[in-house]
Amino acid sequence: MNFEFTEEQIMIRDMVRDFTQREIAPLDEELDRNGFSHALYEKMKEMGLMGIHFPEQYGGADGDAVTSALTIHEIAKGSASIALFLDAHWLAADTILYHGTEAQKTKYLPMAANEGIFAFALTEPAAGSDAAGIQTTATKVEGGWLLRGSKAWITNAGVADVCVVLAKTDPDAGAKGITAFIVEKGTPGFLVGRKEDKMGMRGSNTTELILEDVKVPDENLLGEIGGGFKIAMIALDGARISIGAIAAGLAEHAMNIAKDYANQRVAFGRPIAKLFAIQEKIANMAIGIRATQLMTYDAAKLKAEGKRHTKEAAMVKVFGAEMCSKTCAEAIQTLGGYGYSKEYHVERLLRDAKLLEIGEGTSEILRMVIGTTVLAEKD
Ligand code: CAA
């Protein structure tokens, strides 16, 4: 795809592509069976991937939102689970990058780049789409805050060193009563709960979190008291671009398997790639992938330029996620019975793809965001 990347972005893209082919893609099946790999995380850290878009002064490689989209996109061609792991790490770390005090940035960003895994804890057992409906509370005490409640479906939580936790500091103030806190692993009362036995994306770790009167010091309050909902929404705007990047990479992975199969499988005396029905499937896949890539980098560019990208990020997430599920299902159909077997991998890709329509804002919620935004726009 010929988006206008800088020379440096092209260099990073090629470096991540090579790393993905060598170190990530060969592990994707094993990750699906055995779950998250610390050994692979160590290699990603050594490659400098964990903070690739952080400023150099905080241990990063000085990239921007396009660089991070490129990184996620390339990784997703080898393993959607690992791309999701990195997306969730940045979802949390970026809240500190954009809203942290200098002291918080100096302490936590080098950690996110070089030492530890981060997680973003918003969702609760009874509050997913209705993010303002969370019930975890934060009560002011001498020198800090006491956090009490539970979180669900938190990507990376079971392996995380640092979590950004959203809690109600004013339970009667709706979205304006939510505040963000930085909570370190090992803080008394901060416990990892049940691990989710997920349909797909099994190479990323997803668990509950339990907060039993966790004392968080004043200096770990992130942003303004009552400003947590906006911090979360801004973070999700960015992460939804990453989901577009995952959708494009994962769909390309599925299309490549379908292409290879179609070119070698003979039926009716010739490769099935010669059949119009198969050409049409591949054409639709290629169109969807290209559109998703363009939408992803367009939204990433808006973000890199500091422009509001709520609508564009929601659009690429909805379009990309649905395109990706369809592409993976059509890849299975292209392979017929073999596609339905674990041996040919596309069944795993379809299981991974389904998450993209749910996590970080369902397609239904995001259509609501897009619809209300467009309806309010003056031409
Ligand atoms: N950027 C900046 N501000 C925003 C914003 C955005 N994208 N979206 C909303 N806001 C602001 C609004 O402007 C408003 O501020 P004012 O009152 O000052 O005008 C305030 O936030 C409240 O906004 P709404 O009234 O629109 O809020 P709402 O309660 O109606 O909710 C919603 C809107 C879009 C449905 C929101 O709840 C939402 O996005 N839900 C989906 C949540 C989601 O994606 N969850 C998945 C999290 S992923 C996770 O936790 C798991 C993991 O492992 C990563």
Side-chain angles (χ1 to χ4, degrees):
M1 192 200 60
N2 188 25
F3 190 82
E4 282 181 29
F5 299 120
T6 63
E7 266 179 41
E8 197 169 2
Q9 285 164 347
I10 290 171
M11 218 175 67
I12 289 173
R13 181 195 66 191
D14 293 347
M15 181 268 287
V16 180
R17 188 173 288 175
D18 175 64
F19 177 77
T20 299
Q21 280 165 4
R22 275 188 296 109
E23 304 285 354
I24 299 181
L27 291 182
D28 195 37
E29 189 187 358
E30 189 184 319
L31 291 164
D32 184 56
R33 263 186 282 113
N34 301 332
F36 180 72
S37 161
H38 276 95
L40 179 56
Y41 162 61
E42 289 299 324
K43 288 184 183 167
M44 291 171 72
K45 215 166 56 174
E46 274 167 35
M47 285 296 290
L49 299 183
M50 303 306 293
I52 206 152
H53 61 285
F54 301 167
E56 257 175 34
Q57 68 186 110
Y58 304 122
D62 237 357
D64 63 8
V66 175
T67 320
S68 42
L70 267 176
T71 303
I72 296 256
H73 181 193
E74 290 303 324
I75 291 176
K77 293 178 189 173
S79 170
S81 289
I82 296 304
L84 186 72
F85 153 69
L86 190 56
D87 160 45
H89 173 77
W90 286 342
L91 175 59
D94 282 3
T95 61
I96 300 172
L97 176 63
Y98 299 128
H99 309 281
T101 61
E102 197 48 46
Q104 288 168 343
K105 289 195 249 188
T106 306
K107 178 172 180 188
Y108 289 106
L109 293 178
M111 210 190 251
N114 301 308
E115 285 167 54
I117 297 169
F118 282 46
F120 175 80
L122 170 66
T123 303
E124 298 186 356
S129 290
D130 181 11
I134 59 168
Q135 287 166 17
T136 294
T137 54
T139 312
K140 187 75 187 93
V141 291
E142 182 68 33
W145 297 80
L146 271 192
L147 270 56
R148 182 182 299 173
S150 65
K151 297 286 172 180
W153 298 105
I154 308 304
T155 309
N156 296 350
V159 294
D161 300 282
V162 175
C163 282
V164 171
V165 177
L166 282 299
K168 283 255 161 104
T169 39
D170 182 350
D172 300 322
K176 288 191 167 53
I178 295 174
T179 303
F181 297 89
I182 306 169
V183 187
E184 294 189 25
K185 176 177 156 181
T187 309
F190 190 47
L191 309 168
V192 174
R194 188 171 62 98
K195 183 178 169 199
E196 295 300 340
D197 190 8
K198 294 179 293 183
M199 168 182 174
M201 295 290 194
R202 295 175 66 86
S204 72
N205 172 287
T206 304
T207 68
E208 294 175 335
L209 274 177
I210 296 147
L211 299 107
E212 291 178 346
D213 290 335
V214 179
K215 172 101 187 264
V216 179
D218 281 328
E219 63 265 26
N220 280 21
L221 188 146
L222 180 62
E224 305 281 315
I225 296 174
F229 187 79
K230 281 196 186 179
I231 290 178
M233 290 300 117
I234 291 167
L236 284 163
D237 284 348
R240 288 165 187 161
I241 302 173
S242 297
I243 297 290
I246 297 176
L250 172 54
E252 188 174 326
H253 189 173
M255 181 179 74
N256 286 341
I257 295 174
K259 258 169 62 181
D260 290 348
Y261 184 86
N263 279 320
Q264 57 82 25
R265 170 70 173 183
V266 174
F268 310 107
R270 55 191 184 150
I272 61 168
K274 300 284 180 204
L275 301 172
F276 178 68
I278 300 298
Q279 291 164 359
E280 188 185 26
K281 286 189 199 305
I282 301 291
N284 287 337
M285 292 179 197
I287 292 165
I289 292 166
R290 182 167 171 77
T292 303
Q293 286 175 352
L294 290 168
M295 289 172 81
T296 297
Y297 290 114
D298 174 63
K301 195 155 176 287
L302 287 176
K303 183 177 176 207
E305 289 166 354
K307 295 180 182 151
R308 179 93 184 240
H309 49 277
T310 303
K311 181 182 72 178
E312 292 76 8
M315 283 176 164
V316 67
K317 184 177 182 299
V318 170
F319 182 85
E322 292 175 358
M323 176 285 298
C324 189
S325 288
K326 197 162 174 222
T327 296
C328 293
E330 285 292 79
I332 292 177
Q333 194 69 15
T334 306
L335 271 70
Y338 292 109
Y340 202 61
S341 153
K342 284 193 183 293
E343 199 185 334
Y344 281 76
H345 307 296
V346 274
E347 65 80 35
R348 178 179 75 249
L349 304 190
L350 178 61
R351 288 189 284 108
D352 287 350
K354 187 63 193 167
L355 182 275
L356 304 178
E357 295 178 60
I358 301 168
E360 297 179 14
T362 61
S363 296
E364 289 78 4
I365 286 290
L366 295 179
R367 281 197 164 85
M368 194 174 93
V369 169
I370 298 162
T372 50
T373 308
V374 172
L375 283 162
E377 277 171 358
K378 314 245 181 302
D379 349 287

